Amino acid sequence: MLLRLMTSSGVLPDTVTYSTLLHGYCHAGKVFEANNVLREMMRNDCSPNNYTCNILLYSLWKEGRISEAEELLQKMNERGYVIDTVTCNIVIDGLCNNGQLDKAIEIVSGMWTHGSAALGNLGNSYISLVDDSDSRKKCMPDLISYSTIISGLCKAGRVDEAKKKFIEMTGKNLHPDSAIYDAFIHSFCKEGKISSAFRVLKDMEKKGCNKTLQTYNSLIMGLGSKNQIFEIYGLMDEMRERGVSPDVSIYNNVLSSLCEGGRVKDAPSVLDEMLQKGIAPNISSFSILIKAFCKACDFSAVDEIFEIALNVSGHKEALYSLTFNELLVGGEVVKAKELFETALDRSFDVGNFLYKDLIDHLCKDEKLDDASGILHKLIDKGHRIDPASFMPVIDGLGKRGNKHEADELAEKMMEMASEGKVKNKVHRNVRSSIQGKKNKDGESEWQTILHRDDGSGIALKALKRVQRGLDQGSISSLEPQKDDFLDYWEGSH
């Protein structure tokens, strides 16, 4: 908006203006908009500078568009742009994130003797970069280069190699910062080597590097894995004394530690502290609590937390599905049914809901009408349904003597099978919504259920009666229907 205001006021944007906007779009992952800015920049005769090219290079690596990133780097070299340490670090980071850690290490080592020409080691496409005579391309590894490599090695579990790079870095008179220490601390905590993590912490503080949120988060995670709750509270107190505000990740780690350490009753006080400090819990926060209280069979607490979650996060599909599934696993079938019906009324996608288990439970509890109501509601709302969901209901109706209803439901199942589709949510891919899901033999799941022998005898008999009717052409509802929606897209009238 500001750029449009500039141009309408006669103030011409320059390379810095466009590069800044380009950086914003790339950082937000909006590549299409970034390309539009670049085109406008070129139309207005604003040549990209080194900063612009580095932004684009970073964005391409981040998007995984490696061949395009390589092509851009080649063009930068050919057109005389300075390939500096920032450029090299972007390539090193891109290689690490794309699983080419050893190549990244090779480049860092080569930079000490060849500068940016070390990028020539990437392959023939970079052969022109190997030019030691051009002093502009001389650049040395810096703290970011080593931080990227050490972090990559730690994430890959290659901590011994990371230690060697740490020693190499300090030998080159590069002093580690908190980010590098955090990489080691996180790795040790993840492996459960808490004493090693605290030894690194001691060296970190000795070298004048302050603890960061990442430091505290890693330590709390590590202590939680050892059920050292008292020490976790000590770290939280230390954070308060130092004026370091915990974020939602730290609180989630504390919640996990309490719940997994058998101190579920203490968890709500942590949630209360988050809310009082204005730190909004996320779905993960509520997931930890709901799972823990369901496991403890404290379903009144689950109700309270769910209500808080709705007020904080809104009516999110993920919140409904996780609560429904946990209630069902905990045996709270009635509550789970009520929650699922609310989810259906809100038109949520039911892919993550264990609705088949709900139908099974209702049938086993002799609540066949409820189970049938759920199934029909799923059909009416056009959801793609697990074929096995039909079986207990058809079986229950047959045992109750409701042969006509059982046949009608079996007919509906066959109808959906013959159409190969159900009406689905508009936002889903059209092609997938009109084709039945296939098994490994290329047969639809609906048809597979007719040929198996592990189902209920009554249900299978009902289905086979309907199938015989289909074979004899006596069920008119199974005739192929004209699909106006598809015809519309194909241009017919």
Side-chain angles (χ1 to χ4, degrees):
M1 184 181 69
L2 187 57
L3 184 65
R4 288 196 296 270
L5 180 62
M6 284 176 64
T7 53
S8 64
S9 302
V11 181
L12 296 178
D14 59 9
T15 298
V16 176
T17 312
Y18 283 117
S19 295
T20 304
L21 190 58
L22 191 70
H23 178 268
Y25 278 127
C26 287
H27 184 72
K30 298 183 177 181
V31 180
F32 178 78
E33 291 86 346
N35 281 331
N36 287 339
V37 172
L38 185 61
R39 289 191 192 97
E40 184 179 334
M41 182 179 181
M42 301 302 287
R43 281 198 305 268
N44 291 335
D45 294 326
C46 283
S47 298
N49 57 19
N50 204 61
Y51 175 67
T52 316
C53 291
N54 282 338
I55 292 169
L56 293 170
L57 188 65
Y58 176 75
S59 180
L60 290 170
W61 274 110
K62 186 179 178 182
E63 295 287 322
R65 296 157 64 179
I66 301 173
S67 61
E68 292 173 71
E70 292 176 350
E71 185 180 351
L72 174 61
L73 188 58
Q74 182 70 26
K75 287 179 179 179
M76 286 174 65
N77 180 65
E78 290 171 354
R79 296 180 185 181
Y81 286 99
V82 176
I83 296 179
D84 55 13
T85 301
V86 174
T87 311
C88 291
N89 284 342
I90 290 170
V91 175
I92 291 163
D93 181 64
L95 289 168
C96 288
N97 291 330
N98 283 277
Q100 299 183 57
L101 187 54
D102 290 329
K103 182 60 68 177
I105 293 169
E106 185 182 331
I107 288 173
V108 172
S109 298
M111 284 171 67
W112 286 112
T113 53
H114 302 297
S116 62
L119 294 178
N121 293 330
L122 283 172
N124 291 332
S125 62
Y126 293 98
I127 200 69
S128 62
L129 291 178
V130 186
D131 184 3
D132 294 337
S133 63
D134 192 342
S135 60
R136 293 181 306 159
K137 293 171 185 169
K138 292 291 185 183
C139 55
M140 300 294 108
D142 61 5
L143 192 60
I144 294 174
S145 311
Y146 276 95
S147 180
T148 305
I149 292 295
I150 289 170
S151 177
L153 287 168
C154 287
K155 286 178 183 176
R158 296 161 61 176
V159 182
D160 288 339
E161 293 176 67
K163 290 177 185 176
K164 291 177 182 177
K165 285 297 170 185
F166 182 87
I167 294 169
E168 178 184 305
M169 178 189 70
T170 53
K172 299 286 188 179
N173 206 29
L174 291 173
H175 303 291
D177 60 2
S178 297
I180 290 177
Y181 282 114
D182 280 343
F184 283 106
I185 290 171
H186 181 76
S187 181
F188 284 129
C189 287
K190 191 176 179 181
E191 293 176 6
K193 298 177 179 178
I194 308 303
S195 57
S196 297
F198 274 95
R199 279 198 295 271
V200 174
L201 179 65
K202 186 176 180 181
D203 186 55
M204 176 181 177
E205 293 177 322
K206 183 179 177 182
K207 297 290 174 60
C209 295
N210 294 323
K211 293 190 187 96
T212 65
L213 277 175
Q214 175 62 48
T215 316
Y216 285 108
N217 210 357
S218 298
L219 292 172
I220 289 170
M221 176 190 70
L223 291 168
S225 68
K226 300 294 184 182
N227 200 23
Q228 295 179 257
I229 307 299
F230 180 77
E231 288 79 1
I232 288 175
Y233 280 129
L235 282 176
M236 294 293 285
D237 289 338
E238 181 185 306
M239 291 180 74
R240 295 185 190 98
E241 291 170 5
R242 295 189 176 188
V244 179
S245 299
D247 62 2
V248 67
S249 296
I250 285 180
Y251 277 113
N252 283 353
N253 270 329
V254 175
L255 287 171
S256 284
S257 300
L258 291 172
C259 292
E260 291 172 11
R263 299 181 61 169
V264 183
K265 298 292 184 184
D266 295 337
S269 63
V270 176
L271 181 64
D272 185 55
E273 181 180 325
M274 292 176 72
L275 295 171
Q276 286 186 14
K277 291 192 173 183
I279 299 171
N282 56 24
I283 295 295
S284 294
S285 315
F286 295 116
S287 175
I288 293 164
L289 291 167
I290 288 169
K291 286 180 179 179
F293 279 108
C294 280
K295 189 176 180 180
C297 296
D298 189 347
F299 296 106
S300 60
V302 173
D303 292 340
E304 291 177 13
I305 291 165
F306 182 72
E307 286 302 317
I308 294 171
L310 291 181
N311 290 326
V312 173
S313 302
H315 293 268
K316 298 284 181 67
E317 181 184 302
L319 182 59
Y320 275 82
S321 63
L322 79 89
T323 306
F324 166 80
N325 292 340
E326 292 301 322
L327 285 171
L328 200 57
V329 170
E332 291 292 292
V333 180
V334 175
K335 286 185 178 181
K337 173 183 171 290
E338 291 172 356
L339 193 62
F340 186 62
E341 288 176 328
T342 304
L344 286 175
D345 291 338
R346 290 187 171 275
S347 298
F348 289 145
D349 185 351
V350 298
N352 292 321
F353 289 79
L354 300 175
Y355 63 85
K356 175 184 170 292
D357 293 341
L358 173 63
I359 292 172
D360 281 339
H361 278 295
L362 290 170
C363 289
K364 288 175 182 176
D365 293 344
E366 299 183 354
K367 295 180 180 178
L368 186 59
D369 291 337
D370 288 341
S372 181
I374 292 289
L375 187 58
H376 279 94
K377 200 166 188 178
L378 282 164
I379 294 168
D380 292 341
K381 286 190 170 287
H383 290 284
R384 192 174 293 279
I385 307 170
D386 184 341
S389 303
F390 282 81
M391 300 299 282
V393 179
I394 294 171
D395 185 45
L397 290 169
K399 287 178 179 177
R400 202 164 67 176
N402 294 22
K403 177 177 174 295
H404 179 68
E405 289 181 52
D407 283 353
E408 279 188 343
L409 195 56
E411 181 179 333
K412 182 62 182 175
M413 179 178 172
M414 288 293 296
E415 179 185 338
M416 296 170 78
S418 68
E419 291 177 357
K421 63 177 174 56
V422 292
K423 291 180 181 177
N424 218 323
K425 295 185 180 298
V426 176
H427 69 268
R428 290 186 183 179
N429 182 276
V430 173
R431 179 65 62 184
S432 64
S433 72
I434 64 170
Q435 291 179 339
K437 186 177 178 182
K438 305 291 183 181
N439 65 15
K440 64 182 179 180
D441 298 318
E443 187 179 46
S444 76
E445 288 184 2
W446 302 98
Q447 298 291 347
T448 301
I449 204 167
L450 297 176
H451 304 298
R452 70 187 192 187
D453 298 322
D454 60 338
S456 161
I458 293 174
L460 285 174
K461 285 177 183 177
L463 289 171
K464 286 175 181 176
R465 278 200 304 273
V466 176
Q467 189 180 34
R468 283 196 297 272
L470 173 62
D471 293 339
Q472 295 166 9
S474 63
I475 302 176
S476 60
S477 64
L478 294 184
E479 293 175 2
Q481 302 292 312
K482 181 178 176 63
D483 195 328
D484 293 332
F485 179 75
L486 283 181
D487 288 342
Y488 173 80
W489 287 109
E490 289 171 1
S492 58
H493 300 286

